[in-house]
Structures are given as structure tokens and as C-alpha cells.
Amino acid sequence: MIAACARGPHPSPERAIDLFAEMTADNGLAPTAPAYNALIRACARRGTQEYYFEALRFMRQMLDENVDPSRQTFHAVLEGARRHGDLPRARWMLVKMVGVGGEAAPDASSLGLVFQTYAAYKPPDAQGRSAKRTSKPGPATVVASEPSEDAATPQSTATSFADPTAEPRSETQKLVDLLGESSLFYPGPLPQTTAEVLLEAHNLMTQCVPSSLLDPSGTSAPQGTIFPSVTPTTFLLNSYLSVLAAHAPFDASLAFWSTAFDSLDVPRNRFSFELIMRRCETAKNRQVATEAARVVFAAWKAWDVAEPTETVVELDDGEGGADDELAGAAAHKSGRNISLMWAHMIRILSRCVALTACPRATADFSIVRSFADAEALALFQTFITQYPPTALVTQAEYAREAVKLLPTLPSPMRLASALYPETHAGAADRPPYLLFDQVRLLHMRLAEVDNARGVATVKGICKAYEGALAKAREIEEGVSKNQKKRDQRWMEEQERLG
């Protein structure tokens, strides 16, 4: 029952805490590790800081009662850490997992959650991003930069792992040498710039993949043996890619996406493509990003996987995020994935600006700007041709007819309520569609170049999808729009009467 409260897109930590109290205080049952794991995960997955601290409190209670934590326990807390960018606790958890060892030793999923925490972490020095980024591609420029004196790094990584005369150290001490002594304490000194964040994440990644893959120049530390049982997975590479996308230059993200998966023989999934397309959309060099996006988009259109490559059901939250990826749901294209990829490509083309020579201009004004708005509009028109709005209504009608074939219960039962979203089953994956907010940039670009016909086309397509989506929801809920309005007016009238 407690584990059920942690699943689905709407976890219910309140109910999980009540069940735990009923089990322990009311019935006198000793809590077990699985019960604590489910409780901690329900609190950590809620997303609010209040319940994240509740998860930490229950973990402390678990340790005080001498209940041995498992890998799932640490994963539950790491989920909360990545949601809040709590890098100090994530590093502390990783050190503890290595120290406990055995069944609690970190695996690829553990490191993936830690890397996602690095991606969500915001260093105090906001100027570090622009100061440390250069135009040179690859992580080599990141590794060459030195951390500031404020960061707790007692000795360089190269010295720590490359010195053959150094005395053997435990795996925990090696990890402390890698992350710094601050990883043993909370809060401890943290990376102050994006360069320091990248350096720390890079050195950690070299313990999982060959260092030559991350640093072609060969100046980084050799691959260590802190995580000998960790083999690269799609989730691990995607998580490190998210670190590069958040803190590194665009060239570094693109280089890693282009080479790491193929070199390690690890298949890409839909999150791999979504991450790099999102990074293309935010790149400063729009021309380079547009050309890279074209390549990625073409590779995505040719990509497909027959079977899921990873199955960690206990981490599935149905939100289409990291948990969904770990559960193997990212191995197939979905309606959401198709919509996101096309929307990214349309926006990238809409923001693309090329400088071209104007033969009729004077010498002082010989350069003019040209846009890819026509290509973006053509792509949008291709999307509605391949994925018509009527598919949304057709799928909803098919699902309704399928429900009618189920046996009728002897008495009506209402197991779900709109007041409690957690009682609703997750919405089925819809056919692809695009709404106005997703193509607003294209609309603005067409208006800027006075393309009235293009503006009308964008509005018409978006209205078609909005109408089909509203109709599909009416069919799924079994309530018409007029009935909803009548119910809303009745509720307002009841509230007014007191």
C-alpha cells in the first residue's frame, strides 16, 4: 500500500505517512527496509521542498533504528536531490553508497541520478558560465581549467590516480579524493563556477567510461576502478549529456552526443534526441545549431527501437522524465516525443538568422539578414499532413468503444475523483499535436516579415489541433463542454449561497 502511494504521476506522501504510522504506531509492526524505501520515495517524488525534507528525516530515522539502507533507499533520496539540485546531499549519498558497498553499491542508475543533480545545480557564480566557455570543442577545455581556491580539492585528480607510488586507498577514499573532502560533510564547499561543476562531473564520469572518450587530448586522469561493476547505459550517458547541456558549450554537448553512444555501443533513446535538440535551440551560434539540428532531426526520423533496453520499474513515475526513461518507456517513439521533436525543429528554424550579401545595397549596408521562416512554415504544414488533428478524436472514440466491451459491474462504482488526481490513471499517450505556445516563435517571425498568409496558416493549424484536443477530452470524460459549463455555474451558485 505504501509503495502504491509512490507510483504514478501524482504521488501521495500524505497517505504514505498515514499508512506508515498506522503500521508502526497503531499496530506495533516493525518497519522494514522496503516500507522505508516506499515511504521515502513517496515523499521525495512529491517535488516540494517540505516533503523532500520529510524524506531525509525518514532516512535518518531509518538509520537510527538500525535498518540497513539498500540501493533503492539511496535512489529514493537521490530522486529528491535531483529535483531540487541538492548537490551536497547527492555527493554525500554517493560516498555513503560506496562506503556501504555490497547490494547498496552504486550502479549506472545511481550515477545517472547524481549527474542529473549536477545538471540541476546552479553554481553561485553566474558569470562563470560565460567566463569559462570558449569556442574550442570538446570537454578538453573544461578539464584544462583549474577549480578556484574556494573549492575543496585537497589534491588534483591526476596526482591522485596517476601516481604509481601512492599507497593503496579504499574505494571510499578514492571517491573522496575525486570529489573533495567537502563530499564527506554537509553543506561543505561547493563548485563556484560552471567550469568547476564540469570538472567534477567529468572526473566522475572517467570512472565509468574510457577517459579518451571524454578528453581526446589525453590530459585527464586515467579511468579508475571506483565503480568496477558499472557499465555504461543509455540513462547514464543521457544524464551526463544533461550536465553538458546545462553547463558546457554547445560544441561539447554535440561532440559527446555524436561520438559517445556509438563508441560505447550504447543505443540512443528518445530522451537522447530531445536533450540535444533542446540544446540546439538555446545555442548562441544559430547557424551552427541549425545545421546540427537538421542532422539530429534526420537521425531521429530514422531511429526506432523494437524492444526496451532498460527495465527498472520501481523508478517509473509516468511523468515522461528520468524515471520514465529508467523504466524503459523511452525506447519507443511516442506522441509526446514526436510533438517535441517537431516543435524543437520548427522553433530552431524560426530563430535561424543568416547574414547574406545584398547586391543592390550600398557599401555601407552590404549585409542583410535572412530568415528560415519559409522552411519552418513548410515543416509545420508537413506535420499536420502526417499527423492530422482527426487522429486525436479517432483515438478517443476507439478507447471509448473499447471500454464499452468490458463487462458491466452489478452496481456503479466510482473509484476516481477529479478532486484527487492521484486516483486517476495516467493519460494515454495521444497522437502527435502542436499547440500555439509551441510555435509562437514561428508566428512572431512570420508577423515580423509581414507574411500575412503564413500567420493565418499557423493560426488555422493551431485552432484545428486545439479543437480536436478539446473534442477528444470530451469523449474521454464523457461530459460535453456545455455540461461542464452548467456544472461550473451550479458550483459557483452554491458557493455564493454559502
Side-chain angles (χ1 to χ4, degrees):
M1 290 292 291
I2 299 177
C5 297
R7 297 186 180 275
H10 301 283
S12 182
E14 304 95 337
R15 181 57 177 159
I17 294 174
D18 290 342
L19 290 171
F20 187 82
E22 182 180 349
M23 179 185 72
T24 56
D26 298 344
N27 294 286
L29 299 177
T32 61
Y36 268 116
N37 294 344
L39 177 63
I40 293 171
R41 186 163 184 260
C43 294
R45 286 195 56 248
R46 181 58 178 265
T48 62
Q49 190 177 56
E50 174 187 0
Y51 281 106
Y52 173 51
F53 290 156
E54 282 293 296
L56 296 173
R57 183 176 69 84
F58 281 116
M59 184 175 186
R60 169 67 66 181
Q61 178 179 326
M62 178 183 184
L63 299 176
D64 291 341
E65 294 181 358
N66 295 322
V67 179
D68 294 333
S70 63
R71 183 181 297 157
Q72 286 70 31
T73 310
F74 291 105
H75 281 185
V77 181
L78 284 173
E79 284 187 68
R82 72 174 176 84
R83 290 173 186 271
H84 295 277
D86 192 353
L87 183 58
R89 288 189 175 94
R91 296 193 302 179
W92 181 83
M93 289 291 169
L94 184 60
V95 171
K96 291 302 179 183
M97 292 181 74
V98 173
V100 174
E103 296 295 328
D107 59 2
S109 300
S110 313
L111 292 171
L113 293 171
V114 172
F115 281 128
Q116 291 196 356
T117 309
Y118 276 100
Y121 172 70
K122 304 298 182 183
D125 186 5
Q127 302 298 326
R129 180 186 297 270
S130 58
K132 296 296 183 180
R133 284 185 177 178
T134 64
S135 59
K136 297 181 181 180
T141 57
V142 174
V143 178
S145 63
E146 293 293 333
S148 66
E149 296 179 357
D150 295 333
T153 50
Q155 52 185 340
S156 67
T157 306
T159 304
S160 172
F161 287 96
D163 186 7
T165 62
E167 296 182 1
R169 291 183 296 275
S170 65
E171 303 303 323
T172 304
Q173 184 58 43
K174 289 181 181 179
L175 185 58
V176 172
D177 291 343
L178 194 67
L179 300 179
E181 291 181 347
S182 60
S183 60
L184 289 175
F185 310 101
Y186 179 83
L190 296 173
Q192 299 298 305
T193 65
T194 55
E196 294 179 11
V197 174
L198 288 168
L199 176 63
E200 196 169 293
H202 173 274
N203 290 338
L204 189 62
M205 191 63 173
T206 56
Q207 309 304 308
C208 310
V209 301
S211 57
S212 58
L213 183 65
L214 304 178
D215 184 14
S217 64
T219 59
S220 63
Q223 184 178 13
T225 57
I226 296 179
F227 315 111
S229 60
V230 173
T231 57
T233 62
T234 305
F235 178 68
L236 178 62
L237 297 186
N238 284 350
S239 299
Y240 187 72
L241 178 61
S242 68
V243 179
L244 298 178
H247 301 292
F250 172 69
D251 292 341
S253 304
L254 183 62
F256 182 82
W257 182 88
S258 302
T259 60
F261 292 90
D262 297 332
S263 300
L264 297 172
D265 196 22
V266 175
R268 297 180 178 90
N269 61 17
R270 59 186 174 93
F271 288 107
S272 310
F273 292 98
E274 290 175 13
L275 278 168
I276 194 63
M277 284 294 284
R278 191 182 305 121
R279 186 64 183 91
C280 289
E281 189 174 348
T282 59
K284 293 183 178 179
N285 191 328
R286 299 183 181 183
Q287 290 180 285
V288 173
T290 302
E291 294 305 317
R294 288 192 175 101
V295 174
V296 173
F297 191 69
W300 169 79
K301 291 171 70 175
W303 164 81
D304 198 5
V305 180
E307 296 293 337
T309 56
E310 299 179 16
T311 304
V312 187
V313 178
E314 65 194 27
L315 290 177
D316 180 19
D317 67 351
E319 293 181 330
D323 305 322
D324 209 17
E325 178 179 0
L326 279 169
H332 298 279
K333 289 180 181 178
S334 63
R336 177 182 177 275
N337 172 245
I338 295 172
S339 301
L340 285 175
M341 292 297 293
W342 282 76
H344 280 308
M345 193 67 222
I346 291 172
R347 289 195 296 267
I348 290 170
L349 292 173
S350 300
R351 70 189 291 269
C352 177
V353 179
L355 300 179
T356 58
C358 181
R360 297 183 180 180
T362 62
D364 296 334
F365 302 93
S366 59
I367 301 297
V368 297
R369 296 190 303 171
S370 61
F371 306 105
D373 53 283
E375 184 180 354
L377 180 60
L379 188 64
F380 193 26
Q381 292 173 316
T382 303
F383 178 84
I384 194 174
T385 302
Q386 294 187 11
Y387 309 103
T390 53
L392 293 166
V393 180
T394 302
Q395 185 202 50
E397 292 176 343
Y398 178 81
R400 183 183 61 181
E401 294 300 324
V403 171
K404 291 181 179 179
L405 298 177
L406 297 175
T408 305
L409 296 174
S411 60
M413 297 179 62
R414 185 173 180 83
L415 302 179
S417 171
L419 298 177
Y420 304 97
E422 63 271 13
T423 63
H424 282 274
D429 185 47
R430 300 183 188 275
Y433 64 91
L434 291 177
L435 300 180
F436 183 77
D437 285 343
Q438 295 174 284
V439 294
R440 185 186 299 273
L441 185 59
L442 173 60
H443 179 271
M444 295 172 59
R445 182 68 74 196
L446 293 171
E448 182 181 354
V449 298
D450 296 328
N451 188 342
R453 178 174 295 181
V455 170
T457 301
V458 171
K459 289 182 177 179
I461 294 176
C462 291
K463 287 182 178 179
Y465 278 118
E466 290 171 0
L469 183 60
K471 181 63 176 178
R473 287 172 176 168
E474 288 181 14
I475 296 173
E476 292 171 352
E477 297 174 1
V479 181
S480 66
K481 185 184 297 185
N482 292 333
Q483 182 63 41
K484 286 183 178 180
K485 291 182 180 178
R486 288 193 294 268
D487 294 342
Q488 182 67 26
R489 286 196 297 268
W490 182 84
M491 292 179 64
E492 291 176 356
E493 181 67 18
Q494 295 299 315
E495 291 178 358
R496 185 180 65 83
L497 296 176

